[in-house]
Amino acid sequence: MRLVLGIESSCDETAAALVSLGADGARTIVAQRIASQDEEHRPYGGVVPEIAARAHVVRVMPLVEATLGDAGLGLGDVDAIAATAGPGLIGGVMVGLVSAKALAMAGDKPLIAINHLEGHALSPRLADPGLAFPYLLLLASGGHCQLLRVEGVGQYRRLATTIDDALGEAFDKTAKILGLGYPGGPAVERLAAEGDAKAVPLPRPLLGSADPNFSFAGLKSAVLRAKEAGIHADPDIAAAFQKAAIDCVIDRTRRALEAAGEVTALVVAGGVAANKAIRAALEAVAESNGLRFVAPPLALCTDNAAMIAWAGLERLGKAGFAPDALDFAARPRWPLDPDAAPVRGAGVKA
Ligand code: KG4
Ligand code: ZN
């Protein structure tokens, strides 16, 4: 059996987790703790990087100790220490990574520097041992919206990305426009359940375009105009936004499936995967393509350290594994597919 300690600090959650992989392939989240910073950031309607970094400093080591304590284990019991090393808010990433380095040094354990996106991309395999490579992954979070062919640990081919906003970002901005506060995704989903999506006409950017890329900036602007018009009920706007976003996601995912070649499953991960309406729509796409549909449990969708520990276990189990150097630098940007061509406007936050 192998046991890895994971640390996550790339955005507004500080998290630690212990995950084990048995000789029989059994995966177990032995213990995990997550400290959200929602309260700290709520007054600002979004994550303030400096506040986030300071909150991580205060929380990370007590969280690691508490997680080990929950499991009745000590640092000596773990086989490696995995930490998010990017991409993300660089101050926070540095806090988690430097803590992991200190623990690795003190405990004489291998350090595994994990790409946060790889954590999301592999997390479905933590929950579902039967999920085999290659699979088509929709990775949708606050900072990213990509379709990737996940071909193996460390092997990711990007088929599509957003040319402007990420999907979670569009949810968060819609929440802000509707005065729903932060974090926005779950609030928009709740309000949308009470509204009529047909009551507000909204655009579906890039629908039907030949490449499978995404665009959400125009949809967000249309939401703003609909709100400013003052004639629509907020639940109707939320419902129309969510429906338009889903129509785009479905169309783009279908296009990516045509381009992906053979895959074993359609998989969704990242914070937006917590959205039940999006899950249901993707499940229908998988079904109509004769594919399995896999989505991690909700708690594994949003940022957490179990997915980081799991990515560490996947790396540890790969032939030719080598630990990362203790001077591994935190990376604010770190594409999963370094060969993917940049797209116009991608990563430019509006
Ligand atoms: O993966 P994640 O926890 O953090 C990032 O790495 O970005 O994703 C957070 C994003 C936020 O934009 C949040 O609004 C969105 O995921 N999100 C949702 C839902 N829950 C979280 N979006 C839509 N519906 C939800 N239920
Ligand atoms: Zn994330």
Side-chain angles (χ1 to χ4, degrees), residues 10 60 64 82 87 94 116 125 136 140 147 152 187 202 210 278 302 330-331:
S10 65
V60 66
V64 167
M94 285 169 75
H116 177 85
R125 282 167 50 83
L136 183 74
L147 284 155
L202 291 174
I278 292 178
T302 45
R331 301 176 180 179

Side-chain angles (χ1 to χ4, degrees), residues 321-338:
F321 167 80
D324 288 303
L326 287 180
D327 64 356
F328 192 102
R331 301 176 180 179
R333 281 171 177 256
W334 188 357
L336 269 186
D337 178 359

Side-chain angles (χ1 to χ4, degrees), residues 223-242:
V223 167
L224 181 60
R225 286 194 299 276
K227 172 70 183 171
E228 285 174 349
I231 52 170
H232 301 292
D234 284 357
D236 291 346
I237 298 176
F241 160 76
Q242 184 169 277

Side-chain angles (χ1 to χ4, degrees), residues 152 233 258:
E258 289 166 13

Side-chain angles (χ1 to χ4, degrees), residues 211-228:
D211 65 58
N213 285 330
F214 299 90
S215 167
F216 295 107
L219 175 56
K220 170 200 66 191
S221 307
V223 167
L224 181 60
R225 286 194 299 276
K227 172 70 183 171
E228 285 174 349

Side-chain angles (χ1 to χ4, degrees), residues 8 10-11 116-117 120 141-142 270-271 301-303 307:
E8 159 61 31
S10 65
C11 190
H116 177 85
L117 302 175
H120 280 303
S141 69
C301 289
T302 45
D303 287 349
M307 69 179 192

Side-chain angles (χ1 to χ4, degrees), residues 8 10-13 87-88 116-117 120 139-144 166-173 175 182-190 241-242 269-278 298 300-304 307 349:
E8 159 61 31
S10 65
C11 190
D12 59 345
E13 326 275 357
H116 177 85
L117 302 175
H120 280 303
L139 175 50
S141 69
H144 300 272
L167 182 52
E169 196 179 352
F171 268 89
D172 292 334
K173 285 176 177 168
Y182 172 86
V188 171
E189 182 178 12
R190 274 193 301 275
F241 160 76
Q242 184 169 277
V272 181
N275 186 293
K276 294 197 188 68
I278 292 178
L298 296 188
L300 263 184
C301 289
T302 45
D303 287 349
N304 65 88
M307 69 179 192
K349 294 246 172 173

